[in-house]
Amino acid sequence: MNFLRGVMGGPSAGPQPSGADTIQKLCDRVASSTLLDDRRDAVRALKSLSKKYRLEVGIQAMEHLIHVLQTDRSDSEIIGYALDTLYNVISNDLEEEEQEENSAKQVDDLGSQFTEIFIKQQENVTLLLTLVEEFDFHVRWPGVKLLTSLLKQQGPQVQQIILVSPMGVSRLMDLLADSREVIRNDGVLLLQQLTKSNAAIQKIVAFENAFERLLDIITEEGNSDGGIVVEDCLLLLQNLLKNNNSNQNFFKEGSYIQRMKPWFEVGDDNCGWSAQKVTNLHLMLQLVRVLVSPTNPPGATSSCQKAMFHCGLLQQLCTILMATGVPADILTETINTVSEVIRGCQTNQDYFASVNAPSNPPRPAIVVLLMSMVNERQPFVLRCAVLYCFQCFLYKNQKGQGEIVSTLLPSTIDATGNSVSAGQLLCGGLFSTDSLSNWCAAVALAHALQENATLKEQLLRVQLATSIGNPPVSLLQQCTNILSQGSKVQTRVGLLMLLCTWLSNCSIAVTHFLHNPANVPFLTGQIAENLGEEEQLVQGLCALLLGISIYYNDNSLENYRKEKLKQLIEKRIGRENFIEKLGFISKHELYSRAAQKPQPSFSSPDHMMFDHEFTKLVKELEGVISKAIYKSSEEDKKEEEVKKTLEQHDNIVTHYKKVIREQDQELEELKQRINTLTSQNEQLQATVTQQVSQIQQHKDQYNLLKVQLGKDTQHHNSHGDTFQMNGIQTEEVSKLKEELEEWKNKHELLQGQLKEKDSVIEKLNSSHLEMATTEQSSQTSKSGGLEHSNELQKEIEMLRSQIQLQSAEISKLQMENQKLQVLNTTADAMLGDSGATAAASSELQGRLEQEIKELKVGIKALSEEKESLKQHLDSSSSTVAILQDEKSKLQREVAESKKEQDDLLVLLADQDQKISALKIKLKDLGVPVEDEDDTESGDQGDEDEDGDEEEQD
């Protein structure tokens, strides 16, 4: 205990040991102590030293700490100390004082090295996953922190170990359901590290209901008004969704996009947002962009865009866009988000075109945004975002392109000047003194013409009034005039990109351009000069514009035919020099950056040179222009003939396509009619089938009732006469009535005979009484009338038997009479009212159906009860089998342990005999030998002496 007091800082006798010595002694104590309290105290001491002596503790104690985790699982306190110590050793989150002493590189190397040592045995990570499952706070929380630190140091290796571990990811997902917020929040941080750049783990986490849990946490914490927990959840959601098409589809199919709408609900007063709210809202907007990123598969992006429109998310974003008081960075990110939500989706683009700013008078949102884009006082990133929004609005949107160009045409310009149109803003930006406005307006106008030859021709009609008293000039001419004036490089690059886009694939625009005699000499002069590095980009674009003028030239101008232009290039520039200058574009560093993604992202305004869509145009035209320059006049003629032939073929193909399209429409209509008729036919057939089955059922019911009625008739009629339902003949009824009349007559006759017999019996009884009195009064004639008396007695007995027989016959006839009356009543009822028969039949059918249903229910219940009893029996039998196996195992273990005990007893007995024999030999040799009792007493005395010395200390 003195040793531990010295380690923990208490007073101790003698000199203080060094840190390394102390750590070594503590490690020895952890390894060798048999008492749990001693090991726990030693691990606690190592924890207190682990921050100051990180290297020494990591080298000497790591193996012992891992052993503690394996063997002392029952004690949560020592497990917690061991996990905290390992975390201090592996983690690079040092205190400020220690960070000042050590360089960041050394710290990173140290944590990485210790992590590599720990995960070298994969069982250590598996053990840690098991500990994280423990509910005890002192075990689970340090386990989560340690696993997070391991992932930070050696992410891919630890991810692979967790991935192959059984239920490894699922165990960690349970942390999100922990009721203790500290563990839940650290669990989110752990999953952040776990899901980094690992698509397999991202999918597993997503299908473990991560989206539902994370969105619930965000809602509970107050959405964008929540704290840093919301930020951590959003970062984890980004990890799960970014560049993972499977998870994005799962997120959309799970209707989780609808749950994002409340995130963007902002009030009227948007002043005083906290830094955390700005961060949360920024991450929420980025999460929306992840789902609709242009780099995603087009189908997935389109479905997410439609879902965002239908659930009102796009409308909510537009509300933020037009709200007042929103911080600048949130407004910028909102514009970028709206841009990608509407990009290439006609429905969303149409809705965005209808959004108005809350101004007086109301202005379209597009106009308000363009005003910000051409305003040089606005932040650079905001102007870039507005340009991106305008590009996305026009992407694959010919309707929107037409609306923008129409605001420039003379017939649609507002003469009163009360409102500013998008076209006026673009022209104003195109010819302003701010080069950035020039570039943005030129690129925006180029997007209005992208892949739309009709609008390129219409834009040639635009006339601009340059100054009072001077005639108006065309927009095309004004652009070339500014080029020739030697403005800034950024302005010239923007105008050249606009002209290249305008003239490409539009022969009429090329003719208008070449009609100005100053344009070609200006271009050849720019290309031929040997200028500085900054001007090389302008030279390359001039070469591209001249090449477009050759490639799309229809030879309508005699002085600027293809052949003459190529001769001009050969004389003044040289073909090789021309091709070299043309290659300056694609070799430029800023060209490569712009070609990577559609969004214009530049570190500074000076780097704003190329547009993404324009890089596609350069890639498409560079090769064909190079070939066109080297072609001879004959090849050009052949090519023109081929083009004409192709045009004719195209016209023919277009005609046939039109015919085929009309036929396809007719076929579709006929197919629809066929489908409609087929469905009607199927419905009618189903109806007929149903009616046939109903008729069959009625027939079966009819036959069943017929059989039942026949049985009832046989039961009631002794002669076997039967009635037929719904078809009883009048002749049979009349016969039955006649038979009834006959039976009635017989019955009346028998009743008359019965009365006669009764009167005879009464007479005989009276005569018998008289004879008896005569017999009493006249004893003298007793012997003489004895024979006569016997005869009378016999006659009386015979009459009595006859009376009994007649009585039986009478009762039988009465029963038959009753049956006939019942039968007569039934027949009358059947003849009188056929509806009653039908009602009786239906009632009988209902009763039969009810009884059948009851029987089916009973049979079903009995079968279910049978199945449950069978399952119970199976489970019981399996339990019995398992118990029997365990019993046999235990019996074998008991037998083995008994055998081992017997062997040990035998060994002990042998050793006792050997010891006693050796003692006897020693005594014989004269060597003093102590008994065991004496030795034990001596050891006890030594222990007492040691105790006294400790008390003296």
Side-chain angles (χ1 to χ4, degrees):
M1 294 304 292
N2 288 336
F3 172 71
L4 285 177
R5 280 199 296 270
V7 170
M8 300 304 293
S12 61
Q16 291 288 341
S18 65
D21 295 338
T22 304
I23 292 168
Q24 182 60 49
K25 291 179 181 178
L26 287 171
C27 292
D28 294 339
R29 180 61 61 92
V30 173
S32 61
S33 295
T34 57
L35 293 178
L36 180 61
D37 292 339
D38 289 346
R39 294 199 302 277
R40 188 190 302 121
D41 292 338
V43 175
R44 186 193 294 120
L46 286 171
K47 176 189 170 184
S48 64
L49 294 171
S50 58
K51 288 187 178 180
K52 187 175 182 180
Y53 299 101
R54 180 184 176 191
L55 179 62
E56 292 80 1
V57 173
I59 293 173
Q60 299 182 42
M62 182 175 286
E63 185 178 352
H64 301 297
L65 294 171
I66 294 172
H67 184 69
V68 167
L69 296 178
Q70 293 171 346
T71 56
D72 291 328
R73 292 278 301 279
S74 59
D75 186 70
S76 60
E77 192 173 357
I78 191 172
I79 295 294
Y81 291 148
L83 291 171
D84 283 331
T85 307
L86 288 170
Y87 173 75
N88 292 337
V89 168
I90 289 172
S91 175
N92 288 328
D93 301 333
L94 301 176
E95 297 180 358
E96 293 181 0
E97 297 83 5
E98 298 169 58
Q99 287 181 349
E100 291 174 1
E101 295 173 3
N102 301 316
S103 66
K105 186 176 180 181
Q106 291 175 340
V107 168
D108 292 342
D109 290 343
L110 197 58
S112 180
Q113 288 171 5
F114 283 135
T115 302
E116 193 171 349
I117 293 170
F118 185 85
I119 67 174
K120 193 172 183 180
Q121 298 292 331
Q122 295 188 7
E123 295 80 7
N124 296 339
V125 179
T126 307
L127 174 63
L128 190 54
L129 289 172
T130 308
L131 293 173
V132 167
E133 282 188 293
E134 296 289 338
F135 185 75
D136 194 318
F137 181 82
H138 297 290
V139 176
R140 196 172 206 182
W141 188 39
V144 171
K145 293 195 296 181
L146 177 57
L147 193 54
T148 305
S149 183
L150 292 173
L151 285 164
K152 285 181 181 178
Q153 303 297 334
Q154 298 284 345
Q157 293 88 337
V158 181
Q159 284 175 342
Q160 193 59 32
I161 295 172
I162 294 174
L163 191 60
V164 300
S165 176
M167 299 295 290
V169 179
S170 301
R171 294 188 223 178
L172 299 179
M173 283 299 300
D174 294 338
L175 297 172
L176 295 181
D178 200 302
S179 58
R180 296 160 294 193
E181 289 190 2
V182 177
I183 294 179
R184 183 200 69 186
N185 298 344
D186 280 353
V188 173
L189 296 175
L190 169 60
L191 290 172
Q192 274 185 32
Q193 300 296 327
L194 181 65
T195 54
K196 276 186 179 178
S197 305
N198 193 308
I201 293 179
Q202 289 168 3
K203 290 178 183 178
I204 296 172
V205 171
F207 283 97
E208 287 284 347
N209 207 21
F211 293 138
E212 184 78 29
R213 295 183 185 182
L214 291 172
L215 292 173
D216 288 341
I217 294 172
I218 292 171
T219 304
E220 291 169 7
E221 295 291 329
N223 293 329
S224 61
D225 294 321
I228 196 170
V229 179
V230 174
E231 179 182 348
D232 294 335
C233 291
L234 291 169
L235 289 171
L236 177 53
L237 284 171
Q238 282 193 19
N239 283 356
L240 295 175
L241 293 172
K242 197 168 186 178
N243 300 323
N244 194 316
N245 299 329
S246 173
N247 282 2
Q248 288 174 8
N249 186 56
F250 181 66
F251 190 86
K252 179 186 69 71
E253 295 296 335
S255 300
Y256 296 120
I257 291 177
Q258 288 81 337
R259 296 188 60 179
M260 298 169 73
K261 183 187 174 185
W263 295 355
F264 305 104
E265 292 176 355
V266 295
D268 298 331
D269 185 15
N270 296 312
C271 299
W273 283 13
S274 65
Q276 187 62 54
K277 180 172 182 176
V278 172
T279 303
N280 291 345
L281 205 53
H282 199 275
L283 289 171
M284 290 171 177
L285 291 168
Q286 286 182 348
L287 194 62
V288 175
R289 294 185 64 186
V290 165
L291 295 171
V292 292
S293 173
T295 58
N296 293 343
T301 299
S302 177
S303 59
C304 288
Q305 288 172 332
K306 291 176 183 176
M308 289 176 184
F309 174 76
H310 291 303
C311 75
L313 180 58
L314 175 60
Q315 294 85 330
Q316 204 70 47
L317 292 173
C318 290
T319 303
I320 298 176
L321 201 65
M322 296 291 107
T324 57
V326 177
D329 53 346
I330 293 298
L331 181 60
T332 303
E333 190 63 25
T334 304
I335 294 172
N336 287 326
T337 305
V338 171
S339 305
E340 294 183 351
V341 173
I342 68 173
R343 186 177 188 269
C345 181
Q346 189 66 52
T347 305
N348 295 2
Q349 289 167 338
D350 292 342
Y351 170 77
F352 184 70
S354 67
V355 175
N356 288 323
S359 59
N360 192 14
R363 289 176 175 173
I366 297 172
V367 173
V368 175
L369 292 174
L370 287 176
M371 292 172 69
S372 300
M373 185 185 74
V374 298
N375 187 351
E376 55 185 308
R377 290 191 296 272
Q378 293 293 341
F380 173 65
V381 290
L382 179 63
R383 299 174 74 180
C384 290
V386 173
L387 175 61
Y388 185 45
C389 185
F390 192 73
Q391 291 173 351
C392 291
F393 170 67
L394 297 177
Y395 182 71
K396 294 184 179 179
N397 182 12
Q398 292 191 355
K399 179 182 176 183
Q401 288 176 326
E403 291 173 354
I404 297 298
V405 172
S406 67
T407 60
L408 288 165
L409 300 178
S411 60
T412 57
I413 294 176
D414 187 3
T416 61
N418 292 331
S419 62
V420 180
S421 67
Q424 290 172 336
L425 288 170
L426 289 175
C427 284
L430 195 62
F431 308 121
S432 71
T433 56
D434 179 30
S435 62
L436 188 60
S437 297
N438 302 153
W439 191 91
C440 291
V443 170
L445 197 55
H447 275 263
L449 304 174
Q450 198 80 37
E451 297 179 358
N452 198 324
T454 305
L455 295 181
K456 291 177 183 179
E457 295 177 8
Q458 289 184 6
L459 199 63
L460 296 171
R461 297 165 45 202
V462 176
Q463 300 291 319
L464 301 175
T466 54
S467 60
I468 299 174
N470 293 327
V473 297
S474 67
L475 177 61
L476 183 64
Q477 182 62 45
Q478 185 65 18
C479 290
T480 56
N481 291 342
I482 296 173
L483 270 178
S484 60
Q485 291 172 4
S487 54
K488 292 182 181 180
V489 174
Q490 192 173 41
T491 301
R492 284 182 287 164
V493 168
L495 289 171
L496 285 167
M497 286 195 298
L498 171 60
L499 291 172
C500 289
T501 305
W502 195 348
L503 270 60
S504 64
N505 204 19
C506 183
S507 300
I508 299 174
V510 171
T511 303
H512 277 70
F513 178 77
L514 295 175
H515 190 72
N516 186 347
N519 289 340
V520 173
F522 168 73
L523 293 178
T524 54
Q526 287 286 319
I527 300 168
E529 290 182 9
N530 292 321
L531 302 174
E533 189 174 343
E534 292 182 356
E535 295 292 333
Q536 286 182 352
L537 187 56
V538 176
Q539 287 183 313
L541 290 170
C542 288
L544 179 65
L545 183 57
L546 186 56
I548 291 172
S549 301
I550 295 172
Y551 186 72
Y552 292 105
N553 193 341
D554 59 358
N555 294 326
S556 58
L557 295 175
E558 184 63 30
N559 294 332
Y560 296 103
R561 295 173 64 87
K562 285 185 178 181
E563 188 59 33
K564 289 186 177 181
L565 289 174
K566 286 193 283 188
Q567 290 175 1
L568 185 64
I569 291 174
E570 180 67 28
K571 290 178 183 179
R572 295 193 179 180
I573 304 170
R575 293 181 182 178
E576 291 78 8
N577 192 23
F578 179 85
I579 299 300
E580 182 184 357
K581 298 292 177 67
L582 183 62
F584 284 164
I585 303 174
S586 56
K587 293 177 182 177
H588 203 281
E589 181 184 358
L590 297 177
Y591 173 90
S592 302
R593 290 183 187 176
Q596 291 175 0
K597 57 181 181 179
Q599 183 182 359
S601 56
F602 306 99
S603 56
S604 68
D606 297 335
H607 293 161
M608 205 170 191
M609 289 295 176
F610 284 108
D611 172 57
H612 178 75
E613 292 297 327
F614 181 73
T615 60
K616 294 181 181 178
L617 182 66
V618 172
K619 189 176 181 180
E620 177 186 347
L621 294 178
E622 187 176 7
V624 296
I625 290 173
S626 300
K627 291 179 182 178
I629 295 299
Y630 283 102
K631 284 181 181 177
S632 62
S633 58
E634 295 179 358
E635 290 176 343
D636 284 336
K637 289 180 181 178
K638 289 181 181 178
E639 187 176 350
E640 287 177 4
E641 292 176 359
V642 170
K643 280 186 177 179
K644 289 180 181 179
T645 307
L646 289 175
E647 287 177 0
Q648 292 176 357
H649 285 298
D650 289 340
N651 293 331
I652 296 171
V653 170
T654 304
H655 173 70
Y656 280 114
K657 281 183 178 179
K658 185 178 179 181
V659 173
I660 291 170
R661 195 177 297 112
E662 292 174 355
Q663 291 177 350
D664 286 339
Q665 290 178 355
E666 293 177 359
L667 283 172
E668 286 297 326
E669 292 176 358
L670 291 173
K671 284 180 181 178
Q672 289 178 359
R673 289 182 61 187
I674 290 170
N675 291 332
T676 305
L677 293 173
T678 304
S679 61
Q680 291 177 356
N681 185 25
E682 289 176 354
Q683 291 177 358
L684 292 173
Q685 285 181 352
T687 305
V688 170
T689 305
Q690 185 178 3
Q691 289 178 353
V692 169
S693 63
Q694 289 178 354
I695 291 169
Q696 186 63 36
Q697 289 178 0
H698 288 314
K699 283 183 179 179
D700 295 339
Q701 293 172 1
Y702 164 72
N703 293 329
L704 181 64
L705 291 172
K706 180 179 177 182
V707 171
Q708 289 178 349
L709 186 60
K711 289 181 180 179
D712 293 338
T713 306
Q714 287 178 359
H715 178 71
H716 291 297
N717 192 354
S718 62
H719 297 285
D721 295 332
T722 60
F723 289 101
Q724 296 179 354
M725 293 185 62
N726 298 328
I728 299 176
Q729 302 294 330
T730 55
E731 295 178 358
E732 294 179 358
V733 174
S734 61
K735 287 181 182 180
L736 289 171
K737 284 186 177 181
E738 290 176 0
E739 289 180 359
L740 282 173
E741 292 295 331
E742 289 178 1
W743 283 108
K744 284 181 181 179
N745 294 331
K746 286 182 181 180
H747 178 65
E748 290 175 357
L749 180 63
L750 290 171
Q751 282 184 344
Q753 291 178 357
L754 182 64
K755 289 178 180 179
E756 290 177 359
K757 296 290 182 182
D758 289 337
S759 62
V760 172
I761 289 168
E762 290 177 356
K763 287 179 182 179
L764 288 171
N765 286 331
S766 61
S767 64
H768 177 70
L769 291 173
E770 288 176 359
M771 288 171 68
T773 53
T774 305
E775 188 176 346
Q776 291 177 358
S777 61
S778 176
Q779 294 178 354
T780 57
S781 60
K782 187 174 184 179
S783 60
L786 184 60
E787 294 178 357
H788 182 68
S789 176
N790 290 331
E791 291 177 358
L792 288 174
Q793 189 72 27
K794 290 179 179 178
E795 188 176 357
I796 289 169
E797 291 294 333
M798 184 176 64
L799 288 173
R800 284 179 178 173
S801 63
Q802 289 179 356
I803 288 168
Q804 289 178 355
L805 292 172
Q806 288 178 355
S807 298
E809 187 175 0
I810 288 167
S811 62
K812 182 178 179 181
L813 291 171
Q814 287 177 349
M815 290 174 65
E816 290 180 356
N817 185 23
Q818 290 176 359
K819 291 179 182 179
L820 289 171
Q821 286 177 354
V822 171
L823 188 62
N824 187 20
T825 304
T826 304
D828 291 340
M830 291 170 62
L831 287 170
D833 190 5
S834 62
T837 305
S841 300
S842 63
E843 183 180 359
L844 180 60
Q845 181 182 357
R847 287 178 182 176
L848 288 171
E849 291 178 353
Q850 185 67 26
E851 289 178 359
I852 290 168
K853 287 181 180 178
E854 291 177 357
L855 288 171
K856 286 182 178 178
V857 171
I859 290 167
K860 185 178 181 181
L862 289 171
S863 63
E864 290 177 354
E865 186 177 0
K866 179 181 177 182
E867 288 295 329
S868 63
L869 289 172
K870 185 178 180 181
Q871 293 177 358
H872 184 65
L873 180 62
D874 293 339
S875 61
S876 301
S877 61
S878 63
T879 306
V880 168
I882 291 168
L883 292 174
Q884 286 178 351
D885 292 340
E886 292 181 354
K887 180 181 176 182
S888 61
K889 288 180 181 177
L890 290 172
Q891 286 176 350
R892 287 196 297 271
E893 290 176 359
V894 168
E896 290 175 357
S897 60
K898 284 182 178 180
K899 185 178 179 181
E900 289 176 357
Q901 288 179 356
D902 293 338
D903 294 340
L904 288 172
L905 288 173
V906 172
L907 289 172
L908 287 172
D910 294 339
Q911 286 184 353
D912 286 338
Q913 291 177 0
K914 290 179 180 178
I915 289 168
S916 59
L918 290 171
K919 284 182 180 180
I920 292 169
K921 288 182 179 180
L922 289 171
K923 287 180 180 179
D924 293 340
L925 295 171
V927 178
V929 179
E930 294 183 356
D931 294 333
E932 290 181 358
D933 296 334
D934 298 337
T935 304
E936 290 177 359
S937 62
D939 292 340
Q940 185 65 35
D942 294 339
E943 290 179 0
D944 294 338
E945 289 176 1
D946 292 340
D948 295 338
E949 289 177 0
E950 288 181 359
E951 290 175 359
Q952 289 174 5
D953 292 339

